[in-house]
Amino acid sequence: MPTCACGSGRELDQCCGPFLAGTAAPTAEALMRSRYTAFTTRNTDYLRATLAPEALVDYDDAETTLWAGEAQWQGLKILATEGGGAGDETGTVEFVARYRLQGKDYVHHELSRFRHEDGRWLYVDGVIGPKPQTRHVAKVGRNDPCPCGSGRKYKKCCGA
C-alpha cells in the first residue's frame, strides 16, 4: 500500500484514504491533509465537496483540475494549528505545500480557516503567505538604567 501524500508517514488507507472515500475528517488538520492528498490524486470532487458554501462562489472546477493535474506535488508541512479539534466550531491550519509546475518550483504558504458544520469540517478561506510574527525589543542606551533592575547604568552593569 502506498504512503499517504500528506506527509504523515502512514499508509494511504490508514490516513487520508477514508476521508477521500467519504468519511468525515475528525479535525481541521485532518481535512487540510486530506485536501492536499486530493490535489495529488486529482480528486477534484473531494476538493469541491469540502468547501464551505461561501468558498464555492470563487471555485473554478476546470482551473482546479488543470492545476492539480499539471503540478508535481512535492510535500506538505503543517506549521501550526489552532482550534479545529473535537468540540471546536472553527480552526486554522498554517501550512506549506511544495510543488513543481512547468519546470519551476513553487512554495504555497497559507493560513487556512476551517469551520465545523453539519458534522464535518469545511475549508472556508485562507491567507496566502501570512507574515511571520515580529519580535519587538526595546533598545537600551548605554547611559539608561539597566533593565535588570540593579539601579546601575546599563554600561556599568549588563552592558559591560
Side-chain angles (χ1 to χ4, degrees):
M1 182 52 66
T3 302
C4 192
C6 79
S8 68
R10 299 182 310 178
E11 291 183 358
L12 179 62
D13 65 347
Q14 298 298 313
C15 192
C16 294
F19 309 138
L20 297 174
T23 301
T27 65
E29 181 178 339
L31 180 63
M32 178 63 247
R33 289 181 177 280
S34 65
R35 285 180 55 81
Y36 175 82
T37 301
F39 273 106
T40 69
T41 60
R42 296 156 180 81
N43 187 341
T44 55
D45 291 338
Y46 182 77
L47 293 170
R48 186 183 331 92
T50 56
L51 290 175
E54 61 270 30
L56 280 168
V57 173
D58 294 329
Y59 181 75
D60 184 331
D61 195 52
E63 184 178 305
T64 303
T65 300
L66 183 65
W67 183 46
E70 289 183 353
Q72 299 165 340
W73 300 94
Q74 299 174 330
L76 173 70
K77 183 175 181 182
I78 303 296
L79 301 178
T81 61
E82 186 175 318
D88 291 326
E89 292 182 21
T90 61
T92 61
V93 178
E94 183 177 1
F95 70 93
V96 172
R98 298 183 186 286
Y99 63 97
R100 186 170 186 79
L101 186 63
Q102 299 176 346
K104 186 174 177 185
D105 291 326
Y106 292 92
V107 176
H108 180 87
H109 182 191
E110 182 174 324
L111 178 62
S112 299
R113 289 189 318 134
F114 297 88
R115 182 175 64 236
H116 197 253
E117 186 176 286
D118 297 328
R120 62 191 183 126
W121 284 98
L122 298 172
Y123 173 86
V124 177
D125 61 18
V127 175
I128 306 296
K131 294 183 179 182
Q133 293 182 354
T134 56
R135 186 174 159 204
H136 299 283
V137 179
K139 291 194 175 194
V140 179
R142 49 184 272 116
N143 288 318
D144 292 341
C146 192
C148 76
S150 68
R152 300 185 318 187
K153 288 184 177 182
Y154 178 72
K155 69 181 178 185
K156 294 287 186 177
C157 189
C158 294

